[in-house]
Amino acid sequence: MSNSLFIPAAGMLAEDARADVIANNLANVRTAGFRKDFVSFRQRLLRSGAADVPGRSVPGLALDRTAWDREAGPAEVTGRPLDLALQGEGWFAVRRDGRTVYTRAGDFRVNADGRLGTSDGRGEVLSTGGGPISLAGLSRVEVNGRGEFVTPDGVIASIAVVAFDDESRLEKIGDALFRDAGGAGPRAATAVEVVPGALEQASVEPVREMTAMIAAMRAYEMNAEALRMQDEMMGRAANDVGRLQA
């Protein structure tokens, strides 16, 4: 196949991948603690004469990687005492499906067992000791800036807030949760403050994402038109030119 067809086709695939990421960002604009994704591309080059060699890559744009935004979303005051936001470094540690995962979404609830859990009821928030935080039977509890749960009788638990020296090793697993894919592992966060009655919002700017979506759609359409024109020209070369020579 001619490179003139490969290049716009690769461009269409690249813009389609970009549009999928943007659509997911927009779908999670109201998801607490969500970090937006972005894609980067690389230019594939093909050596002269290699187009017909099986297994060789074709020229044009190719998806390089998908990464997530390191910047935190804005904090919104909710007034709910169990809504917690983090200012500074750090992630809440959560036990879910038998493993420890991490999140910035602090929309916590007391689950059926009287323990502090995630809003979907599938995870339990961990204390600094590594166990669950039991709030069963408590009518009044407050959280201070150090993440301590304070009752009239004193501090009953401290929420685990951990940090990573290399956050690029954290991988998304859905529901604003991340897993540690390797590296040095978590450590206790120090440059952080727990803000009760507030919630970190998604790091998605809807207007910017909509603008990016429009740009991706236009780029897709341009590549599709280029592909159509190249296909038409090749068809004419194979049919009309051959007929004229005959």
Side-chain angles (χ1 to χ4, degrees):
M1 184 182 293
S2 170
N3 287 350
S4 61
L5 295 179
F6 276 125
I7 292 174
M12 291 172 66
L13 291 174
E15 296 304 332
D16 188 57
R18 190 201 308 270
D20 284 344
V21 169
I22 296 171
N24 185 63
N25 289 339
L26 289 170
N28 286 280
V29 69
R30 297 302 299 170
T31 301
F34 178 81
R35 296 293 180 86
K36 71 177 181 181
D37 293 312
F38 60 89
V39 293
S40 61
F41 301 94
R42 56 184 173 85
Q43 184 70 40
R44 294 184 301 196
L45 301 178
L46 192 67
R47 289 182 308 200
S48 177
D52 297 326
V53 179
R56 292 292 179 90
S57 62
V58 297
L61 283 180
L63 180 65
D64 184 25
R65 67 190 183 100
T66 300
W68 52 273
D69 188 13
R70 299 294 189 273
E71 294 294 326
E76 180 180 284
V77 176
T78 65
R80 291 188 65 257
L82 294 183
D83 278 351
L84 306 178
L86 296 176
Q87 286 189 343
E89 68 173 6
W91 301 79
F92 296 113
V94 175
R95 177 70 67 179
R96 179 174 175 178
D97 298 330
R99 62 175 175 171
T100 302
V101 293
Y102 308 94
T103 186
R104 295 277 295 195
D107 50 342
F108 301 135
R109 306 286 188 274
V110 177
N111 63 25
D113 296 325
R115 296 171 175 174
L116 188 67
T118 54
S119 60
D120 61 4
R122 298 180 59 190
E124 291 186 343
V125 184
L126 299 181
S127 69
T128 52
I133 298 173
S134 178
L135 302 178
L138 297 177
S139 59
R140 179 183 173 188
V141 62
E142 296 180 356
V143 185
N144 60 27
R146 295 186 296 274
E148 297 172 335
F149 287 77
V150 183
T151 71
D153 296 326
V155 176
I156 60 170
S158 296
I159 195 168
V161 181
V162 301
F164 296 84
D165 293 324
D166 183 9
E167 289 190 343
S168 66
R169 303 303 296 268
L170 292 176
E171 292 183 351
K172 284 188 172 185
I173 60 173
D175 299 325
L177 296 172
F178 293 74
R179 74 177 186 94
D180 183 8
R187 56 174 172 80
T190 54
V192 64
E193 178 184 358
V194 178
V195 182
L199 203 57
E200 181 177 313
Q201 302 301 305
S203 65
V204 179
E205 299 179 46
V207 173
R208 180 170 294 183
E209 295 298 309
M210 288 298 300
T211 301
M213 178 65 84
I214 293 171
M217 292 174 63
R218 288 178 176 172
Y220 183 94
E221 291 169 355
M222 290 175 62
N223 279 290
E225 179 63 16
L227 183 63
R228 186 194 66 77
M229 292 177 63
Q230 289 293 336
D231 182 61
E232 183 178 320
M233 290 174 62
M234 291 178 66
R236 294 183 62 183
N239 298 313
D240 298 348
V241 174
R243 217 171 17 248
L244 288 174
Q245 290 180 344

